[in-house]
Amino acid sequence: MSKVAVITGAAGGIGFATSIELLKAGHLVYLIDRQETKLDAIPEELRDNARAVVLDLAHSDQIDSVMRTILSAHERVDILVNNAGMTIKGKDGKPQSILDADEASFEQMMRVNVLAMMLMTQKVLPGMQQARWGRIVNVASLAGRSKSIVSGPLYMMSKAAVLGLTRCTAAEMGPFGITCNAVAPGRVLSPMTENAAPGVNESYAIQIPVRRIGEPIEVAGAIAYLCSDIAGFTNGAVIDINGGFFMS
Ligand SMILES: NC(=O)c1ccc[n+]([C@@H]2O[C@H](COP(=O)([O-])OP(=O)(O)OC[C@H]3O[C@@H](n4cnc5c(N)ncnc54)[C@H](O)[C@@H]3O)[C@@H](O)[C@H]2O)c1
């Protein structure tokens, strides 16, 4: 059945690929990003159900006003994919050192990668509770599951926090028919990673059992499953999507 879905960080990469999958499933999809989302990149037959919204998740007042508008246009949001995320590079584009991580960048990273997810979740939960159905998927990272060779300390901390948010939401909201799960992608070719320093993606790929980095659709497919009706018994899970680089 057609549902209302909201996805953050939808302008490109994993978020855009996920939006296409949710549109294919017949849902009305709000594509939220701080950048303009190019709706004409969506196949024409799916475009009618796509709505693009510009929102900078670093600003909670913008989250308030956008979500108020969406929630006043529909009874509720049924599906939330908290996908937007940011990284901070250290000197010369290398991963930041723990010794260089500072208060301002900690606050910026946690605000976008964690606090915004919590606030977005809080906005959609009352309607889902009333409907006794909801799907929330948080995009974490391999960097929150294990060590990361590319991400730096603040990103690692923020993605570990996403897993905590996922588990507490899953435990508390399960009785209402609301599931909350996470995906933890390894290296995936997207706007976030395609401009890495020369050789980084190649040297990463040779360490992965499948000998390549991932494609956004390979994460989007898992997210779309977690948003579906038949995923109702999957709750509080973390799906590792990393070509076998990390096996728990
Ligand atoms: N690409 C990878 O290798 C990889 C690996 C693990 C996890 N991830 C995670 O996957 C998610 C999607 O990343 P991606 O790889 O598709 O990269 P991406 O850069 O294409 O996507 C991130 C999107 O989030 C948006 N965004 C960032 N800050 C925002 C803000 N303040 N407000 C609104 N939108 C904002 C960006 O504009 C961008 O469109 C992120 O959470 C990322 O941390 C990516």
Side-chain angles (χ1 to χ4, degrees):
M1 211 182 70
S2 170
K3 311 235 181 246
V4 177
V6 167
I7 170 154
T8 66
I14 294 167
F16 187 74
T18 303
S19 303
I20 303 278
E21 293 308 294
L22 295 178
L23 287 164
K24 281 189 201 158
H27 304 312
L28 179 73
V29 180
Y30 282 89
L31 294 91
I32 288 179
D33 207 290
R34 70 173 168 188
Q35 309 174 50
E36 198 82 44
T37 300
K38 295 187 178 70
L39 289 184
D40 53 9
I42 294 173
E44 207 178 334
E45 66 279 11
L46 300 174
R47 221 173 284 159
D48 273 0
N49 275 345
R51 310 275 182 276
V53 182
V54 174
L55 157 61
D56 186 344
L57 291 157
H59 299 283
S60 43
D61 54 335
Q62 288 187 29
I63 296 179
D64 273 351
S65 86
V66 164
M67 290 309 289
R68 201 174 316 116
T69 306
I70 294 175
L71 286 163
S72 64
H74 307 279
E75 259 175 72
R76 63 184 163 270
V77 167
D78 307 285
I79 294 169
L80 170 66
V81 181
N82 281 314
N83 164 75
M86 59 167 289
T87 55
I88 293 176
K89 287 283 169 223
K91 293 170 195 139
D92 313 322
K94 295 204 177 97
Q96 200 180 39
S97 156
I98 182 65
L99 294 168
D100 295 327
D102 58 66
E103 204 171 321
S105 32
F106 176 90
E107 281 175 357
Q108 186 193 8
M109 180 77 84
M110 295 306 265
R111 181 165 278 281
V112 173
N113 286 12
V114 188
L115 178 64
M117 284 198 188
M118 183 190 87
L119 296 175
M120 290 294 289
T121 300
Q122 288 174 332
K123 300 286 177 209
V124 300
L125 280 176
M128 290 179 175
Q129 281 181 302
Q130 220 172 9
R132 301 197 79 77
W133 196 95
R135 296 281 182 267
I136 300 173
V137 182
N138 296 329
V139 180
S141 171
L142 170 61
R145 297 276 281 154
S146 180
K147 71 179 193 317
S148 168
I149 54 177
V150 285
S151 305
L154 297 173
Y155 186 80
M156 287 175 72
M157 283 187 259
S158 74
K159 292 300 187 178
V162 169
L163 298 178
L165 170 66
T166 304
R167 290 175 184 132
C168 70
T169 308
E172 200 180 330
M173 293 297 148
F176 295 93
I178 302 166
T179 63
C180 181
N181 294 287
V183 292
R187 193 76 170 173
V188 171
L189 194 63
S190 73
M192 190 178 266
T193 52
E194 63 197 6
N195 296 320
V200 168
N201 287 332
E202 291 73 11
S203 67
Y204 206 120
I206 56 171
Q207 300 173 63
I208 302 175
V210 301
R211 295 291 185 271
R212 63 176 178 85
I213 64 174
E215 298 287 337
I217 182 63
E218 294 173 305
V219 182
I223 296 174
Y225 163 70
L226 292 171
C227 293
S228 71
D229 243 330
I230 56 166
F233 199 53
T234 306
N235 190 28
V238 184
I239 302 189
D240 290 309
I241 305 167
N242 57 47
F245 184 72
F246 166 75
M247 305 183 198
S248 62

